[in-house]
Amino acid sequence: MDSRRLLRTSATALAAAGLILSGCTGGSDAAASRTTASASVAGARASVPPGAETGALKRYYTQKPSWRACGVEGFQCATLLAPLDYAKPDGGDIKLAVSRVRATGPGKRIGSLLVNPGGPGGSAVGYLQGYAGIGYPAPVRARYDMVAVDPRGVARSEPVECLTGPRMDAYTQVDQTPDDTAETRALSAAFKEFAAACEKRSGKILPHVSTVETARDMDVLRAVLGDEKLTYVGASYGTFLGATYAELFPGRVGRLVLDGAMDPSLSALDLNRDQTAGFETSFGAFAADCIRRPDCPLGTESVAAAGEALRSFFRAVDAEPLPTGESRELGESLATTGVIAAMYDEGAWPQLREALTRAIGGEGSGLLALADAYYEREADGTYANLMYANAAVNCLDLPAAYSGPADAEKAVPSFEKASPVFGEGLAWAALNCTYWPTPPTGHSHRITADGAPPILVVGTTRDPATPYKWAQSLAAQLSSGTLLTYEGDGHTAYGRGSDCIDTAINTYLLEGTPPQEGKRCS
């Protein structure tokens, strides 16, 4: 089973997740491209926001996209220009990769539907071409042009680069549960090396990859596409991006679906700790399913006993890593990542059971494959820029969780309370932004988006990466928020098999009518 496919909708708030990616794809005949591009610019002139009709921003809002075929039938690609620094919009451009697939019909075209899979760092273009543009419900694809833009610093949009492949391999294997001063220093040194490499290779763009700047890019794209309002489906971190857009431009909000919601009012420390609890909840669901099976590698006694068996396994591979059939061994860090990767989708549970069975038997390749999918590591040892962009955005959006290793050590007990299985490692993982070379520009705060039309917030009760209470909180913060609940497992809800969820979201996207407040689906 392809672990990348299992993780295709995974996108986390503060960690990272595997996504199906494909090259810039698509095509249409050249005459049609020229015609639709001209129509988009005509609409854009009517949708240039106040203050941008003149001055340095005007050329961005009125630019003419040159749509071209780019590899796979049905998709087109273009390059969108945005100011590198919105505070100095005449100070240079950043080039952003955009892709679309036109509305298929039947029925009157509604407009453009922008999609973002989260991360931060997930390729929206890859998500569109690999899933959303062909896998979203047919009635939605019939009425909307499906569109995606890789956020600044991500994938095809002037990506943040940091470590080389071999150094990234070493980074992913560093012990994240330090047992002594030497191991604590080694972990700090790894985070420092990562940050220094990002500054060396991507110093120009690092100060300009915030969520606020990406939300402003989305408004430029809205105008260029000729849409008066933004219609958008964002998953996981994509919900924070969508909520930020609504905060900046409430009058330009169309129909916004925020699926697997983040809570913008929380600090980095609280986000990390809540997410840790979310992974514990998801593991509990996995363990409850596993112990009912006679071949469960964690035993058949109880969920608590399964958790202790997994902790014992982590301790064992911390002391003595497992062979994997290649030069990399499976130590505790990669083993933990492999398990966490499978928490995003209950469809990955059979693969995790098999991987754990093999690992407990002394062979670590199954868990390594899950970890590699999570990190977007290719077979040739190269990495996509997911983890680099993830850190760059997160460390810019919020002040670091800790001022140094002593703070991390003090936080361990509270993380272990949130998750006996994953708590210690995830507590130390939150140290990564401590050494970031670019100071944060954002801060935690409530988002109300006063004046926006109804915004649909979707939460999954046993979501590992964006705990359900975050969706409850965001829906309550937004002046026009409506909460839709999926009672189930996995990360996000749309397009994951619930007809109830899909029907409610489709109705909202197609008719503008949100579900009744408090609606619950299974």
Side-chain angles (χ1 to χ4, degrees):
M1 187 177 295
D2 184 352
S3 54
R4 289 189 184 277
R5 179 164 179 78
L6 286 173
L7 302 172
R8 67 161 166 80
T9 59
S10 301
T12 76
L14 291 168
L19 301 166
I20 272 192
L21 296 180
S22 60
C24 191
T25 58
S28 68
D29 67 84
S33 294
R34 287 192 293 271
T35 300
T36 55
S38 298
S40 291
V41 171
R45 293 194 183 101
S47 57
V48 175
E53 304 94 333
T54 60
L57 284 179
K58 180 179 179 180
R59 71 182 182 94
Y60 296 107
Y61 273 91
T62 58
Q63 65 189 288
K64 180 178 178 180
S66 178
W67 294 104
R68 62 190 184 278
C70 50
V72 172
E73 184 179 357
F75 288 90
Q76 300 171 307
C77 289
T79 299
L80 181 75
L81 295 181
L84 176 65
D85 184 352
Y86 276 94
K88 301 175 181 177
D90 55 356
D93 301 334
I94 186 169
K95 296 179 180 179
L96 307 176
V98 182
S99 185
R100 74 177 179 184
V101 57
R102 303 309 301 271
T104 59
K108 183 179 179 181
R109 176 184 175 276
I110 297 174
S112 305
L113 173 56
L114 188 66
V115 296
N116 182 282
S123 170
V125 170
Y127 177 73
L128 175 75
Q129 297 170 350
Y131 171 62
I134 56 176
Y136 263 35
V140 173
R141 291 184 287 113
R143 305 285 302 281
Y144 283 100
D145 293 345
M146 301 287 292
V147 182
V149 54
D150 277 348
R152 50 177 60 209
V154 173
R156 302 162 180 84
S157 293
E158 301 197 20
V160 172
E161 298 293 346
C162 300
L163 298 172
T164 63
R167 293 310 304 158
M168 187 64 181
D169 278 348
Y171 177 78
T172 62
Q173 296 177 75
V174 173
D175 188 350
Q176 289 200 6
T177 57
D179 299 318
D180 53 36
T181 301
E183 290 187 351
T184 300
R185 288 174 178 167
L187 180 58
S188 295
F191 286 136
K192 290 176 181 178
E193 180 191 3
F194 184 96
C198 296
E199 183 177 34
K200 180 178 180 180
R201 300 181 68 183
S202 303
K204 179 181 178 181
I205 194 174
L206 284 190
H208 303 295
V209 294
S210 70
T211 297
V212 167
E213 289 162 305
T214 294
R216 296 192 68 173
D217 295 340
M218 286 166 51
D219 195 57
V220 172
L221 178 59
R222 173 201 58 78
V224 167
L225 293 171
D227 293 315
E228 294 289 340
K229 306 284 187 178
L230 179 77
T231 299
Y232 172 82
V233 176
S236 195
Y237 161 78
T239 67
F240 179 44
L241 180 57
T244 300
Y245 181 90
E247 180 180 41
L248 293 171
F249 309 110
R252 294 170 220 162
V253 169
R255 301 166 188 177
L256 261 59
V257 178
L258 309 180
D259 182 13
M262 285 184 62
D263 182 350
S265 71
L266 297 178
S267 68
L269 178 60
D270 287 337
L271 283 168
N272 276 272
R273 192 158 40 209
D274 280 359
Q275 191 180 67
T276 299
F279 283 116
E280 184 72 18
T281 297
S282 185
F283 173 75
F286 163 76
D289 176 78
C290 187
I291 63 174
R292 291 195 293 265
R293 303 171 185 273
D295 60 345
C296 177
L298 302 177
T300 58
E301 181 182 341
S302 66
V303 170
E308 179 53 41
L310 184 58
R311 290 196 298 273
S312 295
F313 167 72
F314 287 155
R315 288 192 293 268
V317 294
D318 185 27
E320 188 174 347
L322 298 178
T324 62
E326 58 173 274
S327 59
R328 292 177 299 152
E329 294 181 316
L330 185 84
E332 183 182 13
S333 291
L334 284 172
T336 302
T337 300
V339 174
I340 284 175
M343 294 296 100
Y344 285 88
D345 188 338
E346 66 271 28
W349 291 358
Q351 184 179 358
L352 177 59
R353 289 196 303 271
E354 179 185 351
L356 282 171
T357 297
R358 291 165 60 185
I360 291 171
E363 201 282 313
S365 62
L367 285 177
L368 182 64
L370 282 166
D372 282 352
Y374 186 88
Y375 285 125
E376 292 192 355
R377 182 188 191 273
E378 301 297 335
D380 63 2
T382 60
Y383 287 78
N385 95 307
L386 171 65
M387 291 300 296
Y388 311 140
N390 183 271
V393 176
N394 283 328
C395 297
L396 202 58
D397 277 352
L398 288 175
Y402 310 129
S403 62
D407 288 346
E409 188 170 9
K410 290 177 184 177
V412 167
S414 66
F415 275 75
E416 289 184 319
K417 182 179 180 180
S419 173
V421 174
F422 305 114
E424 183 182 9
L426 293 180
W428 283 100
L431 187 63
N432 67 328
C433 288
T434 300
Y435 308 106
W436 201 247
T438 304
T441 57
H443 63 280
S444 57
H445 63 285
R446 293 173 59 84
I447 291 181
T448 60
D450 295 336
I455 296 173
L456 183 55
V457 179
V458 188
T460 298
T461 55
R462 294 185 294 278
D463 191 312
T466 51
Y468 177 62
K469 69 177 184 177
W470 289 359
Q472 293 175 300
S473 179
L474 180 59
Q477 290 173 46
L478 291 166
S479 296
S480 59
T482 295
L483 178 64
L484 173 64
T485 298
Y486 174 53
E487 296 179 343
D489 297 295
H491 186 37
T492 72
Y494 190 38
R496 288 175 47 84
S498 170
D499 289 339
C500 175
I501 289 289
D502 290 357
T503 298
I505 294 175
N506 293 347
T507 299
Y508 172 69
L509 289 174
L510 296 173
E511 300 175 14
T513 305
Q516 182 177 359
E517 178 65 43
K519 183 176 179 62
R520 302 181 76 89
C521 297
S522 58

